[in-house]
Coordinates of all heavy atoms in Angstrom, one line a residue:
M92 N 151.6 74.9 113.7 CA 152.2 74.9 115.0 C 153.3 76.0 115.2 O 153.3 76.7 116.1 CB 152.8 73.5 115.2 CG 153.4 73.4 116.6 SD 152.2 73.5 117.9 CE 153.3 73.3 119.3
L93 N 154.1 76.2 114.1 CA 155.1 77.2 114.2 C 154.5 78.5 114.2 O 155.0 79.4 115.0 CB 156.1 77.0 112.9 CG 157.2 78.1 112.9 CD1 158.1 77.9 114.1 CD2 158.0 77.9 111.6
S94 N 153.4 78.8 113.5 CA 152.8 80.0 113.5 C 152.3 80.5 114.9 O 152.5 81.6 115.3 CB 151.6 80.1 112.5 OG 150.9 81.3 112.5
A95 N 151.7 79.5 115.6 CA 151.2 79.8 116.9 C 152.3 80.0 117.9 O 152.2 80.9 118.8 CB 150.3 78.6 117.4
T96 N 153.4 79.2 117.7 CA 154.6 79.4 118.6 C 155.2 80.8 118.4 O 155.6 81.5 119.4 CB 155.7 78.4 118.3 OG1 155.0 77.1 118.5 CG2 156.9 78.5 119.2
L97 N 155.3 81.3 117.1 CA 155.9 82.5 116.9 C 155.0 83.7 117.4 O 155.4 84.7 117.9 CB 156.1 82.8 115.4 CG 157.3 81.9 114.8 CD1 157.3 82.1 113.4 CD2 158.6 82.4 115.4
Q98 N 153.6 83.5 117.4 CA 152.7 84.5 117.9 C 152.9 84.5 119.4 O 152.9 85.6 120.0 CB 151.3 84.1 117.5 CG 151.0 84.4 116.1 CD 149.5 84.1 115.8 OE1 148.8 83.7 116.6 NE2 149.2 84.1 114.5
I99 N 153.1 83.4 120.1 CA 153.2 83.4 121.5 C 154.6 84.1 121.9 O 154.6 84.9 122.8 CB 153.2 82.0 122.0 CG1 151.8 81.4 122.0 CG2 153.7 81.9 123.5 CD1 151.6 80.0 122.2
I100 N 155.6 83.8 121.1 CA 156.9 84.5 121.4 C 156.7 86.0 121.2 O 157.2 86.8 122.1 CB 158.0 84.0 120.4 CG1 158.4 82.5 120.7 CG2 159.2 84.8 120.4 CD1 159.1 81.8 119.8
G101 N 156.0 86.4 120.2 CA 155.8 87.9 120.0 C 155.0 88.5 121.1 O 155.3 89.6 121.7
L102 N 154.0 87.8 121.6 CA 153.2 88.2 122.7 C 154.0 88.3 124.1 O 153.8 89.3 124.8 CB 152.0 87.3 122.9 CG 150.9 87.4 121.9 CD1 149.8 86.4 122.1 CD2 150.2 88.8 122.0
L103 N 154.9 87.3 124.2 CA 155.8 87.4 125.4 C 156.6 88.6 125.3 O 156.9 89.3 126.3 CB 156.6 86.1 125.5 CG 155.8 84.9 125.9 CD1 156.7 83.6 125.8 CD2 155.2 85.0 127.3
G104 N 157.2 88.9 124.1 CA 158.0 90.1 124.0 C 157.2 91.4 124.3 O 157.7 92.3 125.0
A105 N 156.0 91.4 123.8 CA 155.1 92.6 124.0 C 154.9 92.8 125.6 O 154.9 93.9 126.1 CB 153.8 92.6 123.3
L106 N 154.5 91.6 126.2 CA 154.4 91.7 127.6 C 155.5 92.1 128.4 O 155.4 92.9 129.4 CB 153.9 90.3 128.1 CG 152.4 89.9 127.7 CD1 152.1 88.4 128.1 CD2 151.4 90.8 128.4
L107 N 156.7 91.7 128.0 CA 157.9 92.1 128.6 C 158.2 93.6 128.4 O 158.7 94.3 129.4 CB 159.2 91.2 128.0 CG 160.5 91.4 128.8 CD1 160.4 91.2 130.3 CD2 161.5 90.5 128.1
Y108 N 158.0 94.1 127.3 CA 158.1 95.6 127.1 C 157.1 96.3 128.0 O 157.5 97.3 128.8 CB 157.6 96.0 125.7 CG 158.7 96.0 124.6 CD1 158.3 95.4 123.3 CD2 159.8 96.6 124.8 CE1 159.2 95.5 122.3 CE2 160.8 96.7 123.7 CZ 160.4 96.1 122.5 OH 161.4 96.1 121.5
L109 N 155.9 95.9 128.1 CA 154.9 96.5 128.9 C 155.2 96.5 130.4 O 155.1 97.4 131.2 CB 153.5 96.0 128.6 CG 153.0 96.3 127.3 CD1 151.7 95.6 127.0 CD2 152.9 97.8 127.0
A110 N 155.6 95.2 130.8 CA 155.9 95.0 132.3 C 157.2 95.9 132.6 O 157.1 96.4 133.8 CB 156.1 93.5 132.5
S111 N 158.2 95.9 131.9 CA 159.3 96.7 132.2 C 159.0 98.2 132.3 O 159.5 98.9 133.2 CB 160.5 96.3 131.3 OG 160.3 96.8 130.0
Y112 N 158.3 98.6 131.3 CA 157.8 100.1 131.3 C 157.0 100.4 132.5 O 157.2 101.4 133.2 CB 157.1 100.4 130.0 CG 156.7 101.8 129.9 CD1 157.7 102.8 129.7 CD2 155.4 102.3 130.0 CE1 157.4 104.2 129.6 CE2 155.1 103.6 130.0 CZ 156.1 104.5 129.7 OH 155.8 105.9 129.6
A113 N 156.1 99.5 132.8 CA 155.2 99.7 134.0 C 156.0 99.7 135.3 O 155.9 100.5 136.2 CB 154.1 98.7 134.1
A114 N 157.0 98.8 135.4 CA 157.9 98.8 136.5 C 158.7 100.1 136.6 O 158.9 100.6 137.7 CB 158.9 97.6 136.5
V115 N 159.1 100.7 135.6 CA 159.9 101.9 135.6 C 158.9 103.1 136.1 O 159.3 103.8 136.9 CB 160.5 102.3 134.2 CG1 161.0 103.7 134.2 CG2 161.7 101.4 134.0
Q116 N 157.8 103.1 135.6 CA 156.8 104.2 135.8 C 156.3 104.1 137.3 O 156.0 105.1 137.9 CB 155.6 104.1 134.9 CG 155.9 104.4 133.5 CD 156.6 105.8 133.3 OE1 156.1 106.8 133.9 NE2 157.8 105.8 132.7
T117 N 156.3 102.9 137.9 CA 155.9 102.8 139.3 C 157.0 102.8 140.2 O 156.8 102.6 141.5 CB 155.1 101.5 139.5 OG1 155.9 100.4 139.0 CG2 153.8 101.5 138.6
G118 N 158.2 103.0 139.8 CA 159.4 103.1 140.6 C 160.0 101.8 141.1 O 160.8 101.8 142.0
R119 N 159.6 100.7 140.4 CA 160.1 99.4 140.9 C 161.4 99.1 140.1 O 162.0 98.1 140.5 CB 159.0 98.4 140.7 CG 157.8 98.6 141.6 CD 156.8 97.6 141.3 NE 155.6 97.8 142.2 CZ 154.6 97.0 142.3 NH1 154.5 95.9 141.6 NH2 153.7 97.4 143.1
L120 N 161.6 99.8 139.1 CA 162.8 99.5 138.2 C 163.4 100.8 137.8 O 162.7 101.7 137.5 CB 162.3 98.7 137.0 CG 163.4 98.0 136.1 CD1 164.3 97.0 136.8 CD2 162.7 97.4 134.9
D121 N 164.8 100.8 137.8 CA 165.5 102.0 137.4 C 165.6 102.0 135.9 O 166.1 101.1 135.2 CB 166.9 101.9 138.0 CG 167.8 103.1 137.5 OD1 167.3 104.1 137.0 OD2 169.0 103.0 137.8
G122 N 165.0 103.1 135.3 CA 165.0 103.2 133.8 C 166.4 103.3 133.2 O 166.6 103.3 132.0
N123 N 167.4 103.7 134.0 CA 168.8 103.8 133.5 C 169.6 102.5 133.8 O 170.7 102.5 133.5 CB 169.4 105.0 134.1 CG 168.9 106.3 133.7 OD1 168.5 106.5 132.5 ND2 168.6 107.3 134.5
G124 N 168.9 101.5 134.4 CA 169.7 100.4 134.9 C 169.9 99.3 133.8 O 169.2 99.3 132.8
S125 N 170.8 98.4 134.1 CA 171.0 97.3 133.2 C 169.8 96.3 133.1 O 169.6 95.7 132.0 CB 172.2 96.5 133.7 OG 173.4 97.3 133.7
L126 N 169.1 96.2 134.2 CA 168.0 95.3 134.1 C 166.9 95.7 133.2 O 166.3 94.9 132.4 CB 167.3 95.1 135.5 CG 166.2 94.0 135.6 CD1 166.7 92.7 135.1 CD2 165.8 93.9 137.1
Y127 N 166.6 97.1 133.1 CA 165.7 97.6 132.1 C 166.2 97.4 130.7 O 165.4 97.1 129.8 CB 165.4 99.1 132.5 CG 164.4 99.7 131.6 CD1 163.1 99.3 131.6 CD2 164.7 100.8 130.8 CE1 162.1 99.9 130.8 CE2 163.7 101.4 130.0 CZ 162.4 101.0 130.0 OH 161.5 101.6 129.2
A128 N 167.5 97.7 130.5 CA 168.1 97.5 129.2 C 168.0 96.1 128.8 O 167.7 95.7 127.6 CB 169.5 98.0 129.2
L129 N 168.3 95.1 129.7 CA 168.1 93.7 129.4 C 166.7 93.3 129.0 O 166.5 92.6 128.1 CB 168.7 92.9 130.6 CG 168.6 91.4 130.4 CD1 169.6 90.9 129.3 CD2 169.0 90.7 131.7
A130 N 165.7 93.8 129.8 CA 164.3 93.5 129.5 C 163.9 94.0 128.1 O 163.3 93.3 127.4 CB 163.5 94.1 130.6
N131 N 164.4 95.2 127.8 CA 164.0 95.8 126.5 C 164.7 95.0 125.4 O 164.1 94.9 124.2 CB 164.3 97.3 126.4 CG 163.2 98.1 127.1 OD1 162.0 97.8 126.9 ND2 163.6 99.2 127.7
T132 N 165.9 94.6 125.6 CA 166.6 93.9 124.6 C 166.1 92.6 124.3 O 165.9 92.1 123.2 CB 168.1 93.8 125.0 OG1 168.7 95.1 125.2 CG2 168.9 93.1 123.9
A133 N 165.7 91.9 125.4 CA 165.0 90.6 125.3 C 163.7 90.7 124.6 O 163.3 89.9 123.7 CB 164.9 89.9 126.7
A134 N 162.9 91.7 125.0 CA 161.6 91.9 124.3 C 161.8 92.2 122.9 O 161.0 91.6 122.1 CB 160.9 93.1 125.1
A135 N 162.7 93.0 122.5 CA 162.9 93.3 121.1 C 163.3 92.0 120.3 O 162.8 91.7 119.2 CB 164.1 94.3 120.9
A136 N 164.1 91.2 120.9 CA 164.5 89.9 120.3 C 163.3 89.0 120.1 O 163.2 88.3 119.1 CB 165.6 89.2 121.1
L137 N 162.5 88.9 121.1 CA 161.3 88.1 121.1 C 160.3 88.6 119.9 O 159.8 87.8 119.1 CB 160.5 88.0 122.4 CG 161.3 87.3 123.5 CD1 160.6 87.6 124.9 CD2 161.3 85.8 123.2
V138 N 160.1 89.9 119.9 CA 159.1 90.5 118.9 C 159.8 90.3 117.5 O 159.0 89.9 116.6 CB 158.8 91.9 119.2 CG1 158.0 92.5 118.1 CG2 158.0 92.1 120.6
L139 N 161.0 90.5 117.4 CA 161.7 90.4 116.1 C 161.6 88.9 115.7 O 161.4 88.6 114.5 CB 163.2 90.8 116.2 CG 163.9 90.9 115.0 CD1 163.4 91.9 114.0 CD2 165.4 91.3 115.2
T140 N 161.7 88.0 116.5 CA 161.6 86.5 116.2 C 160.3 86.2 115.6 O 160.0 85.5 114.7 CB 161.9 85.7 117.4 OG1 163.2 85.9 117.8 CG2 161.7 84.2 117.1
S141 N 159.2 86.8 116.3 CA 157.8 86.6 115.8 C 157.5 87.1 114.4 O 156.7 86.7 113.7 CB 156.9 87.2 116.8 OG 156.8 88.6 116.6
L142 N 158.5 88.0 113.9 CA 158.3 88.6 112.6 C 158.7 87.6 111.4 O 158.4 87.9 110.4 CB 159.0 89.9 112.4 CG 158.5 91.1 113.3 CD1 159.4 92.3 113.1 CD2 157.1 91.4 113.0
F143 N 159.3 86.5 111.8 CA 159.6 85.5 110.8 C 158.5 85.0 110.1 O 158.5 84.6 108.9 CB 160.5 84.4 111.4 CG 161.9 84.8 111.7 CD1 162.4 84.9 113.0 CD2 162.8 85.2 110.7 CE1 163.7 85.3 113.3 CE2 164.1 85.6 111.0 CZ 164.6 85.6 112.3
E144 N 157.4 85.0 110.8 CA 156.1 84.4 110.3 C 155.4 85.5 109.4 O 154.9 85.2 108.3 CB 155.1 84.0 111.4 CG 153.8 83.5 111.0 CD 153.8 82.3 110.2 OE1 154.7 81.5 110.4 OE2 152.9 82.0 109.4
S145 N 155.3 86.7 109.9 CA 154.6 87.7 109.2 C 155.4 89.0 109.2 O 155.3 89.8 110.2 CB 153.3 87.9 109.8 OG 152.5 89.0 109.1
Y146 N 156.3 89.2 108.2 CA 157.3 90.3 108.2 C 156.6 91.6 108.1 O 155.7 91.8 107.2 CB 158.3 90.1 107.1 CG 159.3 91.1 107.1 CD1 160.3 91.1 108.1 CD2 159.4 92.1 106.1 CE1 161.4 92.1 108.1 CE2 160.4 93.0 106.1 CZ 161.3 93.0 107.1 OH 162.3 94.0 107.1
N147 N 157.0 92.6 108.9 CA 156.5 93.9 108.8 C 157.7 94.8 108.9 O 158.3 94.9 110.0 CB 155.5 94.1 110.0 CG 155.1 95.5 110.2 OD1 155.7 96.5 109.7 ND2 153.9 95.7 110.7
P148 N 158.2 95.5 107.9 CA 159.3 96.3 107.8 C 159.4 97.3 108.9 O 160.4 97.5 109.5 CB 159.4 96.9 106.4 CG 158.4 96.1 105.6 CD 157.4 95.5 106.6
A149 N 158.3 98.0 109.2 CA 158.3 99.1 110.2 C 158.6 98.5 111.6 O 159.4 99.0 112.3 CB 157.0 99.8 110.1
C150 N 158.0 97.4 111.9 CA 158.1 96.8 113.1 C 159.6 96.2 113.3 O 160.1 96.3 114.4 CB 157.1 95.6 113.3 SG 157.1 94.9 115.0
A151 N 160.0 95.6 112.2 CA 161.4 95.1 112.2 C 162.4 96.2 112.5 O 163.4 96.0 113.3 CB 161.7 94.4 110.9
I152 N 162.2 97.4 111.9 CA 163.1 98.5 112.1 C 163.1 99.0 113.6 O 164.2 99.1 114.2 CB 162.8 99.8 111.2 CG1 163.2 99.3 109.8 CG2 163.5 101.0 111.6 CD1 162.7 100.3 108.7
I153 N 162.0 99.0 114.2 CA 161.9 99.4 115.6 C 162.6 98.4 116.5 O 163.3 98.7 117.4 CB 160.3 99.5 115.9 CG1 159.7 100.7 115.3 CG2 160.2 99.7 117.5 CD1 158.2 100.8 115.4
Q154 N 162.4 97.1 116.2 CA 162.9 96.1 117.0 C 164.4 96.0 116.9 O 165.2 95.8 117.9 CB 162.3 94.7 116.7 CG 160.8 94.6 116.9 CD 160.3 95.2 118.2 OE1 160.8 95.0 119.2 NE2 159.3 96.1 118.0
V155 N 164.9 96.2 115.7 CA 166.4 96.2 115.5 C 167.0 97.4 116.2 O 168.1 97.3 116.9 CB 166.8 96.1 114.0 CG1 168.2 96.5 113.8 CG2 166.4 94.8 113.4
T156 N 166.3 98.6 116.1 CA 166.8 99.7 116.8 C 166.9 99.5 118.3 O 167.8 99.8 119.0 CB 165.9 100.9 116.5 OG1 165.9 101.1 115.1 CG2 166.5 102.2 117.1
W157 N 165.8 98.9 119.0 CA 165.8 98.6 120.3 C 166.9 97.7 120.6 O 167.5 97.7 121.8 CB 164.5 98.0 120.7 CG 163.4 99.0 121.1 CD1 162.2 99.2 120.5 CD2 163.5 99.9 122.2 NE1 161.5 100.3 121.1 CE2 162.3 100.7 122.2 CE3 164.4 100.2 123.2 CZ2 162.0 101.7 123.1 CZ3 164.1 101.2 124.1 CH2 163.0 101.9 124.0
L158 N 167.1 96.6 119.9 CA 168.2 95.7 120.1 C 169.5 96.5 120.2 O 170.4 96.2 121.1 CB 168.3 94.6 119.0 CG 167.4 93.5 119.2 CD1 167.4 92.6 117.9 CD2 167.8 92.6 120.4
I159 N 169.8 97.3 119.2 CA 171.1 98.1 119.2 C 171.2 99.0 120.4 O 172.3 99.0 121.1 CB 171.1 98.9 117.9 CG1 171.4 97.9 116.7 CG2 172.3 100.0 117.9 CD1 171.1 98.7 115.3
I160 N 170.1 99.7 120.7 CA 170.2 100.6 121.9 C 170.4 99.7 123.2 O 171.2 100.1 124.0 CB 168.9 101.4 122.0 CG1 168.8 102.4 120.9 CG2 168.7 102.1 123.4 CD1 167.4 103.0 120.7
G161 N 169.7 98.7 123.3 CA 169.8 97.8 124.5 C 171.2 97.2 124.7 O 171.8 97.2 125.7
L162 N 171.7 96.7 123.6 CA 173.0 96.1 123.6 C 174.1 97.1 123.8 O 175.1 96.9 124.6 CB 173.4 95.4 122.2 CG 172.5 94.1 122.1 CD1 172.8 93.6 120.7 CD2 172.9 93.0 123.1
A163 N 174.0 98.3 123.3 CA 174.9 99.5 123.6 C 174.9 99.7 125.1 O 175.9 100.0 125.7 CB 174.5 100.6 122.8
R164 N 173.8 99.8 125.7 CA 173.7 100.0 127.2 C 174.3 98.9 127.9 O 175.0 99.2 129.0 CB 172.2 100.3 127.5 CG 171.9 100.3 129.0 CD 172.7 101.4 129.7 NE 172.5 101.3 131.1 CZ 173.4 100.7 132.0 NH1 174.4 100.0 131.5 NH2 173.2 100.7 133.3
L165 N 174.0 97.7 127.6 CA 174.5 96.6 128.3 C 176.0 96.4 128.2 O 176.7 96.0 129.1 CB 173.8 95.3 127.9 CG 172.3 95.2 128.2 CD1 171.7 94.0 127.5 CD2 172.2 95.1 129.8
L166 N 176.6 96.8 127.0 CA 178.0 96.7 126.7 C 178.8 98.0 127.2 O 180.0 98.0 127.3 CB 178.3 96.5 125.3 CG 177.7 95.1 124.8 CD1 177.9 95.1 123.3 CD2 178.4 94.0 125.4
R167 N 178.1 99.0 127.6 CA 178.7 100.3 127.9 C 179.7 100.1 129.0 O 180.8 100.7 128.9 CB 177.7 101.3 128.3 CG 178.3 102.7 128.5 CD 177.2 103.8 128.7 NE 176.3 103.4 129.8 CZ 175.1 104.0 130.0 NH1 174.7 104.9 129.1 NH2 174.3 103.6 130.9
P168 N 179.5 99.5 130.1 CA 180.5 99.3 131.2 C 181.8 98.7 130.6 O 182.9 99.1 131.0 CB 179.8 98.4 132.3 CG 178.4 98.6 132.0 CD 178.2 98.8 130.6
A169 N 181.7 97.6 129.9 CA 182.8 96.9 129.3 C 183.6 97.8 128.3 O 184.8 97.9 128.4 CB 182.4 95.7 128.6
I170 N 182.9 98.6 127.5 CA 183.5 99.5 126.6 C 184.2 100.6 127.3 O 185.4 101.0 127.0 CB 182.5 100.0 125.6 CG1 182.0 98.9 124.7 CG2 183.1 101.1 124.7 CD1 180.8 99.2 123.8
S171 N 183.5 101.2 128.3 CA 184.1 102.3 129.1 C 185.4 101.9 129.8 O 186.4 102.6 129.8 CB 183.1 102.9 130.1 OG 182.0 103.4 129.4
A172 N 185.3 100.7 130.4 CA 186.5 100.2 131.1 C 187.7 100.0 130.2 O 188.8 100.4 130.5 CB 186.1 98.8 131.8
D173 N 187.4 99.6 129.0 CA 188.5 99.3 128.0 C 189.0 100.7 127.5 O 190.3 100.7 127.3 CB 188.0 98.5 126.8 CG 189.1 98.1 125.9 OD1 190.1 97.6 126.4 OD2 188.9 98.1 124.7
I174 N 188.2 101.6 127.3 CA 188.7 102.9 126.8 C 189.5 103.6 127.9 O 190.4 104.3 127.6 CB 187.4 103.7 126.3 CG1 186.9 103.2 125.0 CG2 187.8 105.2 126.1 CD1 185.6 103.7 124.6
C175 N 189.0 103.5 129.1 CA 189.6 104.3 130.2 C 190.9 103.6 130.8 O 191.6 104.2 131.5 CB 188.6 104.4 131.3 SG 187.2 105.4 130.9
E176 N 191.1 102.4 130.3 CA 192.3 101.7 130.8 C 193.6 102.4 130.2 O 193.7 102.7 129.0 CB 192.2 100.2 130.3 CG 193.4 99.4 130.8 CD 193.3 98.0 130.4 OE1 192.1 97.5 130.1 OE2 194.2 97.3 130.2
P177 N 194.5 102.7 131.1 CA 195.8 103.3 130.5 C 196.5 102.5 129.5 O 196.4 101.3 129.5 CB 196.7 103.3 131.8 CG 195.7 103.2 132.9 CD 194.6 102.4 132.5
L178 N 197.0 103.2 128.5 CA 197.7 102.5 127.4 C 198.9 101.6 127.8 O 199.2 100.6 127.2 CB 198.3 103.5 126.4 CG 197.1 104.3 125.7 CD1 197.8 105.4 124.8 CD2 196.3 103.4 124.8
E179 N 199.6 102.0 128.9 CA 200.7 101.2 129.4 C 200.3 99.8 129.8 O 201.1 98.9 129.7 CB 201.4 101.9 130.6 CG 201.9 103.3 130.3 CD 200.9 104.4 130.6 OE1 200.0 104.3 131.5 OE2 200.7 105.2 129.7
S180 N 199.1 99.6 130.3 CA 198.7 98.3 130.8 C 198.2 97.4 129.7 O 197.9 96.3 129.8 CB 197.7 98.4 131.8 OG 196.5 99.0 131.3
K181 N 198.1 98.0 128.4 CA 197.6 97.1 127.3 C 198.6 96.3 126.7 O 199.7 96.4 126.5 CB 196.9 97.9 126.3 CG 195.5 98.4 126.8 CD 194.8 99.2 125.7 CE 193.4 99.6 126.2 NZ 192.6 100.2 125.2

């Protein structure tokens, strides 16, 4: 049962990757936007979760890299606001 669940989770991640990429390519989603970064981050987390059943180092490296890139993009506004804030107000 757990194996089938993990496979479904991985497939959902793959579908999310493909759907978000297709949306960017058809102009329905901004490739620089937060929603695209969120979709890729969620897809990476789903695919990475599916690797608990059948570990693949190459796939794990790709998914962890996507997670880092996606989280960096999602956190960029908060980090930029903190960096740009004048020192006197801290």
Side-chain angles (χ1 to χ4, degrees):
M92 180 66 180
L93 180 61
S94 178
T96 302
L97 289 173
Q98 287 180 8
I99 291 169
I100 289 170
L102 287 172
L103 289 173
L106 288 173
L107 187 53
Y108 271 135
L109 295 171
S111 64
Y112 183 71
V115 168
Q116 293 303 309
T117 58
R119 296 178 180 187
L120 187 62
D121 178 12
N123 293 318
S125 295
L126 186 56
Y127 183 62
L129 180 61
N131 278 325
T132 303
L137 291 169
V138 173
L139 190 61
T140 300
S141 74
L142 295 179
F143 286 115
E144 176 69 26
S145 179
Y146 184 71
N147 177 331
C150 188
I152 289 169
I153 292 169
Q154 302 315 312
V155 169
T156 302
W157 272 117
L158 277 170
I159 292 168
I160 292 169
L162 289 173
R164 168 58 186 94
L165 292 170
L166 295 174
R167 185 173 54 197
I170 293 169
S171 294
D173 190 44
I174 291 172
C175 294
E176 187 178 330
L178 292 175
E179 299 86 46
S180 65
K181 287 187 175 184

